[in-house]
Amino acid sequence: MSKTENKEKETKVTDEEVKETAEVTEENAAADTAEVSDGKEAGKDGEEAKEEIKVDPKDLEIADLKDKLLRNMAEFDNYRKRTAKERMELAPEITARNLTEFLPVMDNLERALAAECKDPDYKKGIEMIHESFTIALNNLGVETIESDGKPFDPTYHQAVQQVEDDSKEEGTIAATFQKGYKIGDKVLRFAMVAVVK
């Protein structure tokens, strides 16, 4: 082969390579253009998304007010339950305190019954008052604390005297000086008693 033919081949190869390179470059440019246009479209979608995310201040205020309302409702419900529970706990205390004020009246009626009376009608009237008063106290749940002949119980009895009595066991109640009363398990007044020693 002559030098001239070699140069022609090299020139042909070079021209073909240039064409291929140009085609690849055009394809890359087209791809880049497509990516840029896609990016612009994506950018437009992002801006639209940002616009959609923007929240109206009125909506925020409404949400805040709803939250406050729910909290206030919960607090009020808790307050209502707490006060109802306190009322339930205080009711027996108030009842016991009020009923304690009536116990001296019962004592006086019993003293009147024990006193001698020549007028049978007067005596009958006192008995009727005592009976109706006893029924009223029983209806309110007041019970008399049993004492005479029972074992001494410091939960219900208050010993004010010790006596010797061979006919009764030690620790039993020999006499009651003042009746005791209770409502349920709550003592309104302890029974004042004399205990056998």
Side-chain angles (χ1 to χ4, degrees), residues 110-156:
E110 288 176 352
R111 286 189 196 103
L113 284 173
E116 288 185 20
C117 182
K118 293 179 182 178
D119 187 351
D121 292 335
Y122 181 78
K123 184 86 168 175
K124 181 71 174 172
I126 296 294
E127 286 173 358
M128 289 172 68
I129 293 168
H130 179 266
E131 186 182 343
S132 63
F133 196 67
T134 303
I135 290 168
L137 289 177
N138 288 338
N139 289 340
L140 292 169
V142 178
E143 302 171 49
T144 305
I145 294 172
E146 295 180 5
S147 52
D148 284 344
K150 300 289 180 184
F152 176 76
D153 182 357
T155 309
Y156 298 113

Side-chain angles (χ1 to χ4, degrees), residues 169-184:
E169 291 182 20
E170 185 180 336
T172 57
I173 296 168
T176 303
F177 301 116
Q178 187 179 56
K179 280 186 177 180
Y181 296 93
K182 64 179 182 173
I183 182 166

Side-chain angles (χ1 to χ4, degrees), residues 149-166:
K150 300 289 180 184
F152 176 76
D153 182 357
T155 309
Y156 298 113
H157 306 122
Q158 181 181 358
V160 293
Q161 188 179 358
Q162 285 188 323
V163 296
E164 291 183 6
D165 190 343
D166 296 334

Side-chain angles (χ1 to χ4, degrees), residues 54-113:
K54 286 182 184 177
V55 180
D56 189 5
K58 288 181 181 177
D59 292 339
L60 290 174
E61 189 177 352
I62 289 168
D64 186 46
L65 290 172
K66 280 183 180 177
D67 183 55
K68 286 179 181 176
L69 177 65
L70 289 173
R71 288 176 188 274
N72 285 339
M73 287 171 67
E75 284 176 17
F76 178 74
D77 191 48
N78 289 339
Y79 168 77
R80 186 180 53 78
K81 287 176 183 174
R82 188 172 57 251
T83 52
K85 184 181 176 185
E86 286 172 0
R87 275 199 308 272
M88 292 292 288
E89 290 172 355
L90 284 174
E93 283 291 325
I94 293 167
T95 305
R97 192 180 312 143
N98 291 336
L99 289 172
T100 303
E101 297 296 320
F102 289 101
L103 299 181
V105 177
M106 180 62 98
D107 294 339
N108 290 333
L109 286 171
E110 288 176 352
R111 286 189 196 103
L113 284 173

